[in-house]
Amino acid sequence: MNKKADSLLFLAWASSLIATMGSLYFSEIMKYEPCELCWYQRILMYPMVILLGVAYVRKDFKATLYSTIFSGIGLLISIYHYSIQKVSILTENAPACGRVPCTGEYINLFGFITIPFLALMGFIIIFISSVIVLKAIKEEN
């Protein structure tokens, strides 16, 4: 496999690690309690640290099929979560989701960077990297 695919696999792993460490920082150090949608995003992000880490070490580029699926689902959840925070009609009609409202914004940097936005960026990076690696595998065969 070429160096580009190797670099993209590392980028996907690094993104999952940074996203995981970031979410743990917010919940364990800053003491921000995650809402229900945050938990779903974590359920999809955390295993990718191990999945992509092992795939990178073993140079198992086919594992990106799984990261594509996980990140694709996570991407959709993050888009929904971010939308109910930032789109007023959705915010007003958002269902209650546990002790912590999913519309709440613990952080709001520059008026648009929230925790679901950060998760969305992580999922996008992983998804795009994984798709490019999968495409390279397909072209090689």
Side-chain angles (χ1 to χ4, degrees):
M1 189 57 57
N2 63 30
K3 186 152 176 67
K4 178 181 175 184
D6 192 56
S7 296
L8 287 169
L9 186 57
F10 180 80
L11 174 65
W13 171 76
S15 297
S16 68
L17 181 64
I18 291 167
T20 297
M21 293 296 111
S23 74
L24 290 171
Y25 170 79
F26 285 130
S27 64
E28 300 304 316
I29 295 175
M30 298 299 294
K31 302 296 183 193
Y32 297 158
E33 185 177 343
C35 70
E36 189 172 328
L37 289 174
C38 287
W39 278 114
Y40 295 144
Q41 291 165 85
R42 285 174 173 214
I43 288 167
L44 293 162
M45 184 65 75
Y46 288 11
M48 285 196 289
V49 175
I50 297 166
L51 173 83
L52 292 167
V54 170
Y56 180 73
V57 169
R58 298 185 68 196
K59 305 302 180 206
D60 180 8
F61 298 101
K62 292 181 180 179
T64 53
L65 172 63
Y66 306 113
S67 62
T68 301
I69 294 167
F70 276 49
S71 61
I73 295 168
L75 194 141
L76 294 174
I77 294 170
S78 293
I79 289 171
Y80 173 70
H81 194 181
Y82 188 66
S83 296
I84 65 171
Q85 283 186 331
K86 295 297 183 182
V87 178
S88 60
I89 193 163
L90 294 175
T91 303
E92 295 164 6
N93 297 310
C97 64
R99 292 181 0 180
V100 177
C102 294
T103 55
E105 297 178 18
Y106 285 118
I107 65 168
N108 188 2
L109 302 171
F110 309 113
F112 72 95
I113 299 175
T114 63
I115 294 172
F117 178 84
L118 295 171
L120 176 61
M121 293 300 102
F123 283 123
I124 287 172
I125 291 167
I126 296 165
F127 184 80
I128 291 172
S129 299
S130 298
V131 167
I132 293 170
V133 171
L134 282 176
K135 189 174 179 181
I137 292 170
K138 188 175 182 180
E139 289 174 359
E140 193 174 87
N141 293 331

